[in-house]
Amino acid sequence: MSALSARSLERRFLLLTSTRWLQVGVVFGLTILLALQRGLSIAEVGVLLSIQGFVVLALELPSGSLADSLGRRPVLLLAAIAAIAATVLVVIATDFVGFALALLVQGVFRALDSGPLEAWFVDALGPDVAPAHVARSLGRGSTVLGASIAVGSAAGGLLVWWAPVPGLDPLLLPFLVALAIEIVHLVLLAVLVDEPRVRRARPAPLARADDLPSRRASPWATLRAAIRVVARDRVLRCLVLVEVAWALAMIGFETLTPIRLAELTDAVDAAAIFGPASAVAWGVFAAGSALCAFLVPRLGVVRVAIAARILNGVFVAVMGLLAGVVGLLVGYCLAYLAHGAAGPAHNALLHQRADARTRATVLSVNSLVAGGSTSLLLLVVLPLSEGLGTAPVLVAVGLASTLGALLYLPARERAGRRGT
């Protein structure tokens, strides 16, 4: 890996990011619509999504410590295999139990996939890369992520509308296409992700050298070390707690949007509309990520993170305030603009507080808080939306999520003391 230039590493990272997220775009929102079409209620869908989240919650830290102790590559390969299995299970699911099994396996995939690719790339860049440079690189990665999901969403919506295979449920064909993409991604991971036998690292900002495990330490030693780092680092604790507010907003613009569309139309029409709408939204997400990369050197990582967090919540509230399908989709796209800008800035701050021996685990701590919060909040938000309607719930979760911006203030104080 040391023989590769930074540009070559970035090309690999961007290619793998594109194949990882293209399949997500193809079926984006369709699992919910497929379950509703097959007779499940909105509340049951909430339980299903919570099952996935609780699996992620249980496995997030162990999977992160595995990536730190055993290597990024084997964990990425396991994640890709789990993704393939989950898609197969969704295709054959016909009732609540079948979907529950599929979402359980998908939770395993998401836990394993959370962080190793990004950690591999940041480690490969070297330990002394400035946070602003990391944010710009991750911004490019998020731009590719958004563009990939946009292309996939457009293709998925087109497949549902076109229905080119007679006798096949239009909602199923996108899942078969996603399955083929997942197999390609597995092959590319095996070919392109290369790791050195020994990983050099410097201590995290608030970690003592004797607290950090060696590269050959057990996963549990790595896990304990990362938890100690998070426990002592006030900035890092606040950063991961931002995910609680972020989870509220994401339930709004990811989960409630297809449900709201199905309320306004029906499941198949909602899928046909949601595909192109998601394509536009993820294109806007890519623009937001590019905007983050542009703004960070001028405004600073923390200021961009705060502004993006506030705007994301406000735009989710707008989704509930504007009437009709057009109003919903306008707010939806604006929410994704801010979402695209928020991710790279947030992750750059996380990387600033981690080091190579605990980086993937720290990312997993962040994802654990996100997944756990989402799972618990889904059990509240979706039943409320079934009883009160999705529009007022969108307003409530959007405005509440803006409070997460306050949790970036310790990072701003630290940046101010450093004069950066």
Side-chain angles (χ1 to χ4, degrees), residues 99-387:
F99 278 104
L101 180 59
L103 271 292
L104 187 152
V105 176
Q106 194 169 84
V108 174
F109 154 60
R110 292 195 173 184
L112 291 170
D113 183 72
S114 175
L117 180 61
E118 187 175 301
W120 167 78
F121 173 65
V122 174
D123 287 345
L125 289 177
D128 299 318
V129 177
H133 180 81
V134 173
R136 287 195 299 271
S137 294
L138 296 181
R140 295 185 189 105
S142 288
T143 301
V144 170
L145 182 155
S148 299
I149 298 181
V151 171
S153 296
L158 177 62
L159 289 171
V160 173
W161 172 80
W162 183 22
V165 181
L168 181 68
D169 185 343
L171 290 181
L172 278 184
L173 184 56
F175 289 95
L176 300 178
V177 173
L179 182 62
I181 297 170
E182 288 164 353
I183 293 171
V184 171
H185 180 65
L186 174 62
V187 173
L188 289 176
L189 283 172
V191 172
L192 297 180
V193 175
D194 186 24
E195 286 187 291
R197 290 181 179 273
V198 179
R199 191 189 307 276
R200 294 185 300 170
R202 57 187 173 87
L206 295 186
R208 294 193 301 268
D210 57 356
D211 281 333
L212 291 171
S214 70
R215 180 65 179 84
R216 296 181 179 180
S218 71
W220 294 112
T222 304
L223 174 58
R224 288 193 299 270
I227 291 174
R228 284 196 295 269
V229 171
V230 174
R232 279 201 301 269
D233 191 333
R234 175 172 171 257
V235 173
L236 189 53
R237 288 199 305 273
C238 289
L239 288 175
V240 299
L241 287 175
V242 170
E243 293 289 355
V244 178
W246 211 329
L248 270 174
M250 289 186 71
I251 289 172
F253 63 76
E254 284 194 347
T255 307
L256 292 181
T257 301
I259 294 174
R260 178 63 175 162
L261 279 174
E263 289 175 353
L264 297 172
T265 58
D266 59 47
V268 174
D269 286 344
I273 295 170
F274 192 63
S278 296
V280 174
W282 282 102
V284 173
F285 173 96
S289 298
L291 183 63
C292 174
F294 174 79
L295 291 177
V296 159
R298 293 160 177 80
L299 301 179
V301 180
V302 180
R303 289 188 182 92
V304 173
I306 290 173
R309 175 73 266 128
I310 292 173
L311 289 173
N312 184 238
V314 169
F315 291 143
V316 171
V318 167
M319 291 171 60
L321 293 172
L322 297 180
V325 171
V326 174
L328 174 70
L329 296 181
V330 167
Y332 176 67
C333 290
L334 291 174
Y336 266 91
L337 176 69
H339 184 46
H346 181 82
N347 281 16
L349 292 171
L350 289 174
H351 286 298
Q352 187 180 6
R353 310 305 302 168
D355 87 309
R357 282 174 289 188
T358 57
R359 191 181 309 282
T361 308
V362 167
L363 291 175
S364 289
V365 171
N366 185 78
S367 294
L368 181 147
V369 174
S373 301
T374 301
S375 297
L376 293 173
L377 291 169
L378 279 168
L379 296 175
V380 176
V381 172
L382 289 193
L384 279 177
S385 68
E386 194 168 33

